[in-house]
């Protein structure tokens, strides 16, 4: 049975009030759905997992709790093991390795979607529509910019997908452009 975006959105909204966290979930969803399309996978299933990957973070942000509390809730709600495993695998400290293409893609898109959002918002246009991969690569070299994002994770994500970093960045930008309005990234364009 395929996963429901409506159900995933309802659960995300129940546990997450922060607009920035909701937009982050939607940005990761856009990126993961884009890769699902590219890889010939089920976009709805992959998108639902992306929406849910951080749904518990606002309530339980500590590494002792996130994503463990969320996956307990998903288990009780009857979500399949592959969903729970994918969500656990996005956190390095969970002890769950990334093996499936979905697990690798979720990890590859999570931090990068946030970094691309930040790179878009500092542009004069405040838009993802005129952002290009070389600009993001340049921002990666600035250690003060979005300092919480581990650059090694961005590079490791591209490697997991067997893509050059600039190609992975370009892909995620394109996937996010399709949802610029919902993500608040149209800016002045």
């Amino acid at each position: 049975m395929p996963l429901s975006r409506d159900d995933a959105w309802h659960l995300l909204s129940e546990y997450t009030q922060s607009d920035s966290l909701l937009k982050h979930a939607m940005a990761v969803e856009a990126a993961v759905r884009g890769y699902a399309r590219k890889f010939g996978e089920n976009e709805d299933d992959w998108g639902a997992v992306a929406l849910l990957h951080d749904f518990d973070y606002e309530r339980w942000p500590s590494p002792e709790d996130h994503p463990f509390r969320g996956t307990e809730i998903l288990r009780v709600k009857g979500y399949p093991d592959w969903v729970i495993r994918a969500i656990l695998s996005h956190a390095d400290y969970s002890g769950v390795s990334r093996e499936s293409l979905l697990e690798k893609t979720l990890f590859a898109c999570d931090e990068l979607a946030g970094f691309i959002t930040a790179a878009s918002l500092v542009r004069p246009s405040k838009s993802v529509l005129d952002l290009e991969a070389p600009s993001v690569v340049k921002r990666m070299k600035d250690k003060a910019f979005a300092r919480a994002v581990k650059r090694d994770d961005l590079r490791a994500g591209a490697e997991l997908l067997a893509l050059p970093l600039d190609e992975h960045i370009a892909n995620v930008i394109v996937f996010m452009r399709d949802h610029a309005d919902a993500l608040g990234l149209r800016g002045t364009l």
Side-chain angles (χ1 to χ4, degrees):
M1 181 169 95
L3 302 182
S4 159
R5 186 191 191 278
D6 288 342
D7 290 346
W9 179 258
H10 177 75
L11 188 57
L12 172 65
S13 301
E14 179 183 341
Y15 283 84
T16 305
Q17 304 306 308
S18 163
D19 188 54
S20 64
L21 285 175
L22 292 170
K23 285 180 179 170
H24 171 69
M26 290 189 299
V28 176
E29 176 195 22
V32 170
R33 277 181 173 273
Y35 273 118
R37 195 167 41 255
K38 184 177 179 65
F39 297 147
E41 299 290 342
N42 185 307
E43 287 184 52
D44 292 332
D45 285 353
W46 281 34
V49 171
L51 271 179
L52 292 171
H53 82 283
D54 278 344
F55 87 92
D56 64 342
Y57 184 80
E58 189 173 89
R59 289 194 190 179
W60 300 291
S62 74
E64 294 79 32
D65 291 322
H66 167 73
F68 306 106
R69 293 278 189 106
T71 54
E72 289 169 9
I73 292 165
L74 294 175
R75 191 170 278 116
V76 168
K77 290 187 173 289
Y79 277 81
D81 287 340
W82 62 267
V83 170
I84 292 163
R85 182 180 162 74
I87 291 172
L88 286 170
S89 76
H90 94 277
D92 281 333
Y93 53 83
S94 73
V96 177
S97 61
R98 294 173 200 101
E99 295 174 12
S100 74
L101 189 53
L102 169 59
E103 293 163 2
K104 293 173 183 179
T105 303
L106 179 61
F107 176 80
C109 294
D110 182 17
E111 293 297 317
L112 183 57
F115 197 83
I116 288 171
T117 296
S120 298
L121 292 174
V122 298
R123 297 183 64 69
S125 66
K126 299 200 181 311
S127 179
V128 72
L129 299 177
D130 63 351
L131 180 67
E132 299 295 335
S135 177
V136 175
V137 171
K138 184 177 178 183
R139 290 276 180 198
M140 285 176 62
K141 295 174 185 172
D142 178 357
K143 291 182 174 40
F145 181 78
R147 71 181 61 196
V149 177
K150 296 177 187 168
R151 284 19 179 205
D152 288 344
D153 285 353
L154 301 180
R155 287 185 281 276
E159 288 173 18
L160 281 172
L161 298 180
L163 293 173
L165 179 61
D166 59 336
E167 183 179 337
H168 176 46
I169 292 169
N171 288 341
V172 174
I173 290 171
V174 168
F175 301 148
M176 289 175 63
R177 280 181 183 160
D178 291 340
H179 303 277
D181 290 324
L183 299 175
L185 297 177
R186 177 163 295 280
T188 58
L189 300 180

